[in-house]
Amino acid sequence: MTQFQHYQPTKLTFGSGEIQQIGQLVAQYGKRCLVVSELIFDAVKPAYDRIFALLANEGITVTHFDGVVPNPPTTVVELGRQVAQAAECDVVLAVGGGSSIDTAKIIAATINAEELNWSHWFATYDSPFGDIASLPAPVVPLIAVPTTSGTGSQVTQAAVITNVEQHAKLTLFHPEFFPLEAVIDPELMLTLPPRMTAMTGFDAFSHAFESFTGTRPSPFVDQLALQAMKLVVDNLPKVVADGSDIQGRCELATADTLGGISLANGGAGAPHPLGEILGSQKTNLPHGLTLAVVYPAYVQLQWRKQPERYAQVAELFGAVGSTEEKAQSLAGHLVTFLKEIGLESNLTQVGVSKQDVEALEPAFCFDLPLTSGEEMKSILHASLV
């Protein structure tokens, strides 16, 4: 008999032009809003100006924290928290990619806390499932507006933060990190450059793949993940080639959201810890790219554990033959797909050497449910070729 749990509390507003509602939506939760984003560059400034105007029309006082950086460190989160406290913000609006939304999650969860003990947080909120300790203070309402299609952070309970003391990217989890609402407007993704489109799109694929081949399968996760992967396979090459393809942007935004929901309920597999450790040591490699360069080797070394599921994914790329033949072909299909969207498919192509990999080996001292620490080391070495 099938048994599973599924949780998705974030209210979604999806569609082109839906950002027009952001002022009215934020006003339902507060009047002093902290907007969290990365530094605004010229290409996206009109979108932010529009959002600020919509908030002002509703009489909302805006404090803008634009200090978010990729792989956000604890120091940046602390700074944003101090800005929010000084302005007595009662609602948080994250506008941007996963780094902005993840930073905003921790800020919203700690505005009302007297202090933020990072050692306690990383030791206590380190698991997405099971019994989770209460947060030390009431959270402030959080609304997310993603401007990329890949991280799925607008519909997850996870926040990836770099621990500056350990020089490591770590993930914090709590059900109260789910944004209360998310506005997903594909028009906001139209200015995303091709390479960033490719990297975030492959991130969405990986969320769905790891959920589909993970240890918490369910009818919901399976269907959401398969549909997310299909949308990425069918649309990402077209959108990388033509960023103005609004229909393709809609499909990728759908894939991003479906992948995020499946990740929140199915959990991540080995590629994500591999990518996070690689990214924390080689900070010039964006998250989506760290996944791309380890995925073919990971799939090639792991497909025998779940040939039926790997074969189903391979079919999305047009694979034919027996179950075993299709499953075994998936790694090759991924290499071809990554080349088509302009991404590298091994570590050597991005300048990571054998010596770099050997230096990373001590970080893989833990086992995952489907992949041991030794297997992860093997995957990393295999990713050099």
Side-chain angles (χ1 to χ4, degrees):
M1 182 180 295
T2 301
Q3 293 179 308
F4 64 92
Q5 294 180 335
H6 191 93
Y7 184 60
Q8 181 43 241
T10 305
K11 179 181 177 181
L12 303 178
T13 300
F14 187 106
S16 296
E18 290 296 337
I19 194 62
Q20 190 67 28
Q21 301 184 34
I22 194 64
Q24 296 169 321
L25 194 155
V26 171
Q28 297 176 22
Y29 296 99
K31 284 296 183 181
R32 297 182 302 279
C33 179
L34 179 76
V35 175
V36 179
S37 77
E38 295 190 28
L39 191 66
I40 298 174
F41 54 93
D42 290 343
V44 298
K45 189 175 184 298
Y48 281 87
D49 288 344
R50 180 183 177 191
I51 291 171
F52 292 146
L54 290 167
L55 295 172
N57 289 342
E58 297 297 324
I60 296 168
T61 300
V62 173
T63 300
H64 186 197
F65 175 65
D66 62 354
V68 176
V69 295
N71 305 314
T74 50
T75 49
V76 164
V77 178
E78 280 280 10
L79 182 58
R81 177 174 174 268
Q82 292 167 12
V83 170
Q85 289 178 325
E88 298 182 335
C89 294
D90 55 8
V91 60
V92 177
L93 174 64
V95 184
S99 295
S100 295
I101 299 173
D102 287 359
T103 299
K105 287 178 179 180
I106 308 303
I107 293 174
T110 58
I111 287 178
N112 292 318
E114 292 185 5
E115 62 178 358
L116 206 174
N117 184 328
W118 285 109
S119 295
H120 171 76
W121 273 64
F122 285 124
T124 304
Y125 308 116
D126 62 345
S127 176
F129 309 113
D131 295 330
I132 298 175
S134 299
L135 294 174
V139 302
V140 166
L142 171 64
I143 299 162
V145 177
T147 58
T148 68
S149 294
T151 71
S153 186
Q154 70 273 14
V155 287
T156 75
Q157 74 281 50
V160 180
I161 304 295
T162 298
N163 185 335
V164 294
E165 293 183 0
Q166 299 181 17
H167 302 286
K169 286 175 66 175
L170 302 173
T171 305
L172 296 166
F173 301 94
H174 201 281
E176 293 197 63
F177 292 169
F178 280 104
L180 292 180
E181 303 209 28
V183 178
I184 304 165
D185 188 338
E187 289 183 5
L188 299 178
M189 291 92 172
L190 289 172
T191 57
L192 201 64
R195 187 164 175 84
M196 184 61 68
T197 297
M199 289 189 291
T200 54
F202 191 73
D203 192 15
F205 176 91
S206 71
H207 291 159
F209 181 87
E210 289 166 49
S211 304
F212 183 67
T213 57
T215 59
R216 295 172 59 89
S218 78
F220 284 15
V221 167
D222 287 355
Q223 292 304 312
L224 292 171
L226 280 171
Q227 181 63 12
M229 287 186 282
K230 178 174 173 53
L231 289 171
V232 172
V233 171
D234 291 348
N235 292 279
L236 186 54
K238 294 186 296 184
V239 177
V240 168
D242 178 11
S244 66
D245 179 357
I246 188 62
Q247 183 57 41
R249 292 286 187 188
C250 285
E251 301 288 21
L252 290 180
T254 301
D256 171 36
T257 305
L258 295 177
I261 295 172
S262 61
L263 180 70
N265 289 277
H272 266 74
L274 277 165
E276 287 174 4
I277 291 172
L278 183 66
S280 64
Q281 300 294 323
K282 288 278 183 180
T283 54
N284 60 314
L285 297 182
H287 174 62
L289 184 58
T290 65
L291 293 169
V293 295
V294 301
Y295 242 85
Y298 168 76
V299 167
Q300 186 60 41
L301 293 175
Q302 297 287 298
W303 68 265
R304 291 176 180 82
K305 295 181 179 181
Q306 296 175 293
E308 294 83 4
R309 288 187 173 250
Y310 279 64
Q312 282 184 269
V313 177
E315 288 171 359
L316 301 176
F317 293 94
V320 296
S322 67
T323 295
E324 183 171 305
E325 289 170 336
K326 287 184 288 188
Q328 190 174 10
S329 74
L330 179 56
H333 285 294
L334 283 172
V335 171
T336 301
F337 182 73
L338 289 168
K339 184 176 181 180
E340 185 178 7
I341 61 175
L343 294 184
E344 294 78 6
S345 57
N346 65 58
L347 292 172
T348 301
Q349 292 173 342
V350 294
V352 177
S353 68
K354 182 179 180 181
Q355 291 73 26
D356 294 327
V357 168
E358 290 172 347
L360 286 173
E361 284 190 356
F364 296 98
C365 58
F366 57 92
D367 294 334
L368 297 174
L370 292 175
T371 313
S372 68
E374 289 302 314
E375 286 179 303
M376 285 194 283
K377 293 177 186 177
S378 297
I379 293 164
L380 204 58
H381 279 278
S383 298
L384 287 166
V385 179

